[in-house]
Amino acid sequence: MRIHAIQTGTVAIKERQRRGVGHGLRRRLNTLVDKVWTEPLPIYAWVIEHPEGIIVVDTGETARATEPGYFPWWHPYYRLNVRTWVRPEEEVGPQLQALGIKPADVRWVVLTHLHTDHAGGLQHFPKVEIVVSLTEYQQASGLGGRINGYLRNRWPEWFDPHLIDFAPQPFGPFPSSYTLTQAGDVVLVPTMGHTAGHLSVIVQDGNMNIFLAGDTSYTQQLLLEGIVDGVSESDEAAKQTIGRIQTYLATVPAIYLPSHDPESVVRLENRSVVSVASDKIPMTQIQ
Ligand SMILES: [Zn+2]
């Protein structure tokens, strides 16, 4: 199976968003008042050439995000904590065309979560089945969603995603999962933390597994260190997810690909498998 990275521009965030400092509300406030910017980080979307059809994971950001007034002026995160650079030709639609893929021919678009830099390219997929976790969709709704920075008003009018509720069907260390393909080789798993309804996509390609992590961590290194980011609501949920992913990566050969890790594309090209210390494997799985 061929997998392509599509970089839809870059985003800079605060250093303490990438690597959270402190716990709970304090950790989130530390992000808001941090003065140190990261370098511009890639915004990746992923394209899987699957025998059952093309699967796009996340849609990246839109060039409109660089226009004044696109982000809500009243929102402290958008005022203080994020800078975005996207040119129109960097959007997911034109880049898919450049790969010889018509967006209308895509079989599924899966969104890891509904933050703007993952849902910004939705307008390129008006006729495509879009898969979102039910919990994430609910989180993004109403006033609570707006306060949490979801830009529901920027979603296309036709947006009516296929909402999935994870079945109590364990997948490795994950207590529930959703099998996307008939072949059973593309599996969605809940990875709550960065957002309450965040999911990750696991592609099983022969002996190799590709873990499309969304914003579960900003880099592979931060996952291995077990660091919670600076925006996750719940330390406990984020830590539990990090632990499950570490266990998964310790038990099968896998390439770990977060959406904003500048090394993700290098690891995909080189098929670099992450190596996790065996103390991350619970005893029950060693026996
Ligand atoms: Zn996010």
Side-chain angles (χ1 to χ4, degrees), residues 113 115 117-118 194-195 215 218 260:
H113 62 303
H115 280 164
D117 52 332
H118 299 258
H194 178 76
T195 63
D215 290 357
Y218 282 98
H260 304 291

Side-chain angles (χ1 to χ4, degrees), residues 14 32 72-82 146-147:
K14 294 297 177 72
L32 222 47
W73 59 268
W74 52 268
H75 199 291
Y77 179 82
Y78 289 106
R79 278 184 88 94
L80 303 170
N81 283 63
V82 66
R146 294 187 66 190
I147 290 169

